[in-house]
């Protein structure tokens, strides 16, 4: 089985190494940020980066892995954001503390994800009968419907919930660097674990050749809806974090341009590469901030980066390459092994 | 080689090799027909395959052979007639359900999962045999490890039929043409079929590759005890391994029988060579 050169690291050790590294990253950087290592402004940028990573990585499931082109990702984000916002207001998360507070935050995130996932199923079943540009248009329509509904409805059955065009305000600000990072890690982990299983293989098979997948016994409709729902779930989680970050929500935030912004991150990073999505989410969020000094030109630079990448690397920065810590360790290991043998 | 001289015996609905006569036929098509708009692509197609028969489907280009494969796998829904797999009607079933009932196929124009490694191509074929749920995958429960390990071993074993286990981690799209055709057969086998439908398996292969393929098809039939139906234009292959052959022209069966009978059938010769061509066997 060992076709790769040199040693392969056994499974349990791989998991151990990865767990330790992730734990170090989470605790180390959270302690650093919370300890005042960076300014409040940088912390805020980091939180936005985290939210964008979740959005890009989740959209990548539908575009990169499933191979469809949905344009309504901001719609799912809006559903998650409003669900999270209303829930947090309702349970008065701002006044809770300790374990109760943590529980509320976790419940809000989960609930936002689930409600968005339900929307994913409801939209996915009819939409995924179409493909290509038709799917793009129907999902675009869905995103717009969400936005318009949120703008025009301010009360449901007499309860003031979404406050329509004036926006949902005074949402408890639950989002911190720590919980954004945990969500990012969990999102990437869950998507990775799904993709490296029979379910993930089925999703990839649909992207590669739908007819062949179907005649290999893959339930194509089921897996399309599953991938779409998974994508919607994490968009909902990101939405909830966004609500807890801003503290107020405007329906106009979740327009068509937001969907495109997320799609650009995925395409720039390379469709089908999680690492690519993460890197381009970081780049495209940080770039406008870094370029703040050149106020007038920053959007020009942003666009220029996109144009240049698409000209010189049309498959995106990473293509379909995915990151594997073990692979790198194995290579380093193999290198040392060889140099040792040469000496001896 | 001796086995290909099996006698065909009549059963209800057609003829099957003598050794399969005791068991019910695995695949049966009755009065099958499909119209595309005003065009009748296949009409009154009757056909029966024994449990371990190697059957052939031949005919000139455009005769409707691939359409029949598409009907058998429910890619198209038939306008008339019905298909029985192991005695069960497949009407209204989805393609993947038909696959799980035991029909696997390869494609005339290769349809592999090109960007994925060879091994994953085979593992996708085993989709129906793995049971673990989404939660099992995310939490990496023991069911995940056990089934993945078993599937991986079985996939490598299947690949070794064609000596391809060393290519397991190569992207399928970068394999040479012949190997891609073989991989399609392995992938189809991985679904655990009762009937293997091969659509022009020898297309583009040289004579020695074709001879090897012939041996392999026979080997597959013997080891897995399954039926094989193949569409092929290479008459050496068809006459060499098929026990029963059906000849199709303009969507209708014009002859059925053993290779010898087909070879000498005047109607077949006419369909292939035209009138007045008589003497040359095909």
């Amino acid at each position: 089985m060992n076709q790769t050169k040199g040693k392969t690291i056994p499974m349990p050790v791989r998991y151990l190494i990865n767990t330790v590294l992730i734990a170090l990253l989470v605790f180390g950087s959270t302690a650093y940020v919370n300890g005042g290592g960076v300014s409040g402004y940088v912390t805020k940028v980091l939180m936005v980066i985290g939210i964008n990573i979740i959005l890009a990585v989740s959209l990548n499931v539908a575009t990169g892995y499933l191979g469809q082109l949905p344009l309504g990702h901001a719609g799912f984000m809006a559903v998650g954001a409003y669900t999270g916002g209303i829930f947090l207001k309702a349970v008065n998360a701002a006044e809770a503390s300790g374990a109760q507070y943590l529980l509320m935050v976790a419940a809000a995130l989960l609930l936002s994800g689930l409600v968005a996932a339900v929307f994913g199923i409801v939209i996915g079943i009819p939409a995924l009968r179409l493909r290509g540009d038709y799917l793009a248009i129907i999902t675009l329509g869905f995103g717009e419907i969400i936005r318009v509904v949120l703008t025009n409805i301010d009360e449901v059955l007499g309860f003031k919930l979404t406050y329509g065009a004036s926006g949902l305000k005074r949402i408890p600000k639950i989002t911190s660097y720590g919980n954004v990072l945990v969500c990012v890690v969990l999102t990437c982990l869950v998507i990775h674990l799904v993709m490296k299983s029979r379910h993930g293989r089925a999703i990839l098979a649909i992207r590669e050749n739908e007819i062949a997948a179907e005649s290999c016994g893959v339930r194509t409709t089921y897996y399309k809806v599953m991938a779409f729902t998974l994508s919607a779930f994490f968009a909902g989680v990101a939405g909830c974090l966004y609500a807890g970050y801003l503290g107020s929500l405007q329906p106009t935030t979740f327009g068509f341009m937001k969907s495109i912004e997320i799609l650009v991150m995925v395409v720039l990073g390379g469709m089908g590469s999680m690492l690519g999505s993460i890197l381009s989410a970081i780049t495209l969020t940080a770039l406008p901030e870094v370029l703040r000094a050149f106020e007038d030109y920053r959007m020009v630079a942003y666009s220029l980066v996109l144009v240049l990448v698409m000209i010189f690397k049309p498959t995106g920065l990473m293509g379909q390459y995915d990151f594997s810590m073990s692979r790198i360790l194995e290579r380093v290991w193999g290198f040392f092994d060889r140099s040792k043998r040469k000496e001896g | 080689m001796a086995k290909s001289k099996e006698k065909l015996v009549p059963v209800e609905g057609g003829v099957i090799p003598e050794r399969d006569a005791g068991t019910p036929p695995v695949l049966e098509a009755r009065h099958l027909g499909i119209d595309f708009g005003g065009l009748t692509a296949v009409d009154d197609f009757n056909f029966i395959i024994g449990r371990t028969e190697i059957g052939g489907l031949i005919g000139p280009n455009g005769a409707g052979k691939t359409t029949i494969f598409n009907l058998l796998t429910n890619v198209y829904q038939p306008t008339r007639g019905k298909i029985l797999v192991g005695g069960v009607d497949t009407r209204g079933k989805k393609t993947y359900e038909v696959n799980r009932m035991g029909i696997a196929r390869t494609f005339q124009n290769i349809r592999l999962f090109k960007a994925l490694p060879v091994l994953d191509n085979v593992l996708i074929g085993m989709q129906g045999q793995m049971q673990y749920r989404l939660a099992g995958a995310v939490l990496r429960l023991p069911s995940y490890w056990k089934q993945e390990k078993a599937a991986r071993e079985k996939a490598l074993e299947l690949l070794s039929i064609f000596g391809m286990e060393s290519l397991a981690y190569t992207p399928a799209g970068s394999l040479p043409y012949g190997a891609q055709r073989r991989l399609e057969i392995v992938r189809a086998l991985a679904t655990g079929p009762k009937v293997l439908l091969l659509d022009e398996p020898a297309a583009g292969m040289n004579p020695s590759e074709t001879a090897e393929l012939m041996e392999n098809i026979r080997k597959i039939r013997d080891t897995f005890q399954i039926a094989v139906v193949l569409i092929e234009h290479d008459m050496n292959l068809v006459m060499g391994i098929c026990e029963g052959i059906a000849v199709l022209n303009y969507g209708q069966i014009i002859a059925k029988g053993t290779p010898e009978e087909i070879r000498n059938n005047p109607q077949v010769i006419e369909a292939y060579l035209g009138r007045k061509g008589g003497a040359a066997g095909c």
Side-chain angles (χ1 to χ4, degrees):
Chain A
M1 251 189 86
N2 296 337
Q3 296 303 318
T4 43
K5 279 161 260 155
K7 279 179 194 147
T8 31
I9 303 170
M11 237 352 139
V13 184
R14 283 183 191 215
Y15 277 62
L16 198 69
I17 292 174
N18 290 337
T19 316
V20 169
L21 287 174
I22 290 170
L24 270 178
L25 172 76
V26 172
F27 291 118
S29 69
T30 311
Y32 183 69
V33 170
N34 289 350
V38 294
S39 68
Y41 163 69
V42 174
T43 316
K44 285 203 162 146
V45 174
L46 285 175
M47 289 199 280
V48 177
I49 286 178
I51 293 168
N52 281 339
I53 289 177
I54 298 175
L55 287 169
V57 167
S58 64
L59 182 63
N60 187 33
V61 174
T63 47
Y65 296 141
L66 185 66
Q68 306 294 339
L69 187 67
L71 290 180
H73 213 54
F76 295 123
M77 186 189 174
V79 171
Y82 272 86
T83 309
I86 292 167
F87 178 81
L88 287 168
K89 273 181 85 170
V91 297
N92 237 334
E95 279 152 36
S97 62
Q100 207 183 6
Y101 175 75
L102 279 179
L103 204 68
M104 279 176 186
V105 172
L109 289 168
L110 197 65
L111 188 72
S112 313
L114 287 177
V115 173
V118 169
F119 273 78
I121 296 175
V122 172
I123 308 298
I125 290 172
L128 290 165
R129 287 165 168 265
L130 306 172
R131 61 193 71 184
D133 21 11
Y134 303 105
L135 179 84
I137 288 168
I138 201 174
T139 46
L140 187 151
F142 153 71
E144 288 302 288
I145 288 171
I146 296 274
R147 185 179 60 80
V148 172
V149 165
L150 286 174
T151 313
N152 289 300
I153 289 183
D154 60 347
E155 57 171 47
V156 183
L157 300 172
F159 294 103
K160 267 211 174 295
L161 285 174
T162 57
Y163 295 90
S166 63
L168 187 64
K169 294 199 180 69
R170 285 190 295 279
I171 300 166
K173 292 198 176 188
I174 51 115
T175 305
S176 68
Y177 176 75
N179 60 26
V180 169
L181 190 59
V182 168
C183 285
V184 169
V185 168
L186 281 179
T187 305
C188 295
L189 190 69
V190 168
I191 290 173
H192 175 79
L193 291 174
V194 170
M195 290 317 292
K196 297 279 178 215
S197 75
R198 74 182 181 102
H199 305 289
R201 280 196 297 269
I203 292 168
L204 290 174
I206 294 169
R207 175 190 74 189
E208 291 295 313
N209 197 316
E210 201 174 326
I211 294 173
E214 176 103 21
S215 56
C216 281
V218 174
R219 296 165 63 184
T220 45
T221 319
Y222 173 83
Y223 279 111
K224 274 186 186 176
V225 176
M226 177 199 268
F228 200 66
T229 308
L230 196 68
S231 169
F233 176 87
F234 287 111
V237 171
C240 180
L241 286 171
Y242 186 75
Y245 161 75
L246 272 188
S248 70
L249 293 172
Q250 292 289 336
T252 44
T253 325
F254 305 105
F256 175 57
M257 281 319 287
K258 184 70 191 171
S259 296
I260 292 296
E261 202 181 294
I262 306 165
L263 186 67
V264 163
M265 287 175 192
V266 176
V267 173
L268 185 82
M271 296 224 240
S273 165
M274 191 186 284
L275 179 66
S277 300
I278 296 172
L279 288 182
S280 68
I282 295 173
T283 316
L284 293 185
T285 319
L287 197 64
E289 299 299 328
V290 174
L291 295 177
R292 240 174 231 288
F294 316 97
E295 193 72 60
D296 297 339
Y297 301 103
R298 69 191 181 117
M299 287 325 279
V300 176
Y302 179 95
S303 320
L304 204 61
V305 168
L306 293 182
V307 170
L308 288 178
V309 170
M310 284 302 113
I311 289 174
F312 292 107
K313 200 135 185 345
T315 52
L317 290 173
M318 291 289 146
Q320 290 191 346
Y321 173 82
D322 251 327
F323 178 72
S324 158
M325 193 68 218
S326 320
R327 207 187 309 151
I328 292 172
L329 285 179
E330 273 159 23
R331 211 163 283 168
V332 172
W333 203 321
F335 177 75
F336 277 121
D337 247 21
R338 240 170 291 147
S339 53
K340 224 182 275 172
R341 240 174 282 155
K342 262 180 207 161
E343 284 166 23
Chain B
M1 277 290 191
K3 268 196 173 168
S4 62
K5 289 286 175 215
E6 193 87 28
K7 247 175 63 187
L8 297 182
V9 294
V11 292
E12 195 201 336
V15 287
I16 58 175
E18 207 169 6
R19 65 171 185 285
D20 295 331
T23 48
V26 64
L27 179 63
E28 213 180 327
R30 287 190 197 152
H31 309 294
L32 204 58
I34 185 168
D35 301 340
F36 296 119
L39 177 82
T40 302
V42 174
D43 197 28
D44 199 25
F45 179 80
N46 289 293
F47 167 87
I48 181 166
I49 293 289
R51 202 173 65 86
T52 59
E53 180 176 352
I54 298 182
L57 196 56
I58 61 172
N61 289 326
K65 304 181 297 291
T66 301
T67 307
I68 285 178
F69 270 20
N70 284 336
L71 284 169
L72 292 175
T73 51
N74 274 19
V75 172
Y76 300 149
Q77 297 292 332
T79 320
R80 294 173 293 279
K82 60 178 171 182
I83 301 155
L84 303 174
V85 178
V88 183
D89 197 341
T90 65
R91 177 166 287 275
K93 295 250 190 327
K94 295 264 172 58
T95 302
Y96 80 88
E97 290 172 313
V98 174
N99 174 266
R100 289 180 187 191
M101 287 169 77
I103 307 244
R105 73 174 292 188
T106 65
F107 295 88
Q108 186 177 0
N109 44 344
I110 302 174
R111 290 177 184 270
L112 287 170
F113 309 125
K114 289 206 171 77
L116 307 183
V118 167
L119 185 67
D120 285 24
N121 272 268
V122 184
L123 286 173
I124 288 163
M126 292 185 184
Q127 185 72 20
Q129 292 139 50
M130 287 192 259
Q131 307 297 332
Y132 66 82
R133 311 297 293 263
L134 193 61
V138 172
L139 302 173
R140 289 291 190 256
L141 296 179
S143 60
Y144 167 86
W145 294 111
K146 218 162 68 191
Q147 289 175 27
E148 282 286 316
K149 188 161 173 267
R152 209 159 276 262
E153 277 162 11
K154 194 179 159 204
L156 288 169
E157 198 185 306
L158 287 171
L159 281 171
S160 72
I161 297 177
F162 289 111
M164 289 172 74
E165 66 274 40
S166 61
L167 297 169
Y169 298 95
T170 325
S174 65
L175 292 178
Y177 185 77
Q180 293 197 6
R181 285 226 169 268
R182 288 191 282 271
L183 178 57
E184 270 216 313
I185 299 179
V186 176
R187 186 180 66 185
L189 270 180
T191 65
K194 295 183 199 136
V195 188
L196 193 56
L197 307 179
L198 304 177
D199 200 342
E200 299 202 17
M205 286 190 178
N206 64 34
S208 74
E209 281 179 319
T210 308
E212 202 188 313
L213 179 75
M214 247 159 95
E215 274 317 302
N216 280 321
I217 292 175
R218 214 176 266 132
K219 196 168 101 191
I220 286 166
R221 193 269 311 267
D222 293 340
T223 42
F224 295 94
Q225 288 293 306
I226 57 173
V228 180
V229 180
L230 48 92
I231 292 175
E232 189 47 74
H233 285 297
D234 185 325
M235 285 304 145
N236 287 327
L237 181 92
V238 174
M239 296 298 168
I241 64 171
C242 291
E243 292 154 311
I245 298 176
V247 188
L248 213 61
N249 199 18
Y250 297 112
Q252 278 174 324
I253 291 187
I254 55 168
K256 270 201 279 197
T258 61
E260 286 72 36
E261 288 164 14
I262 296 300
R263 206 174 277 143
N264 301 317
N265 187 312
Q267 265 187 299
V268 177
I269 296 168
E270 191 189 307
Y272 269 88
L273 301 174
R275 230 172 280 260
K276 283 186 181 176
C282 49

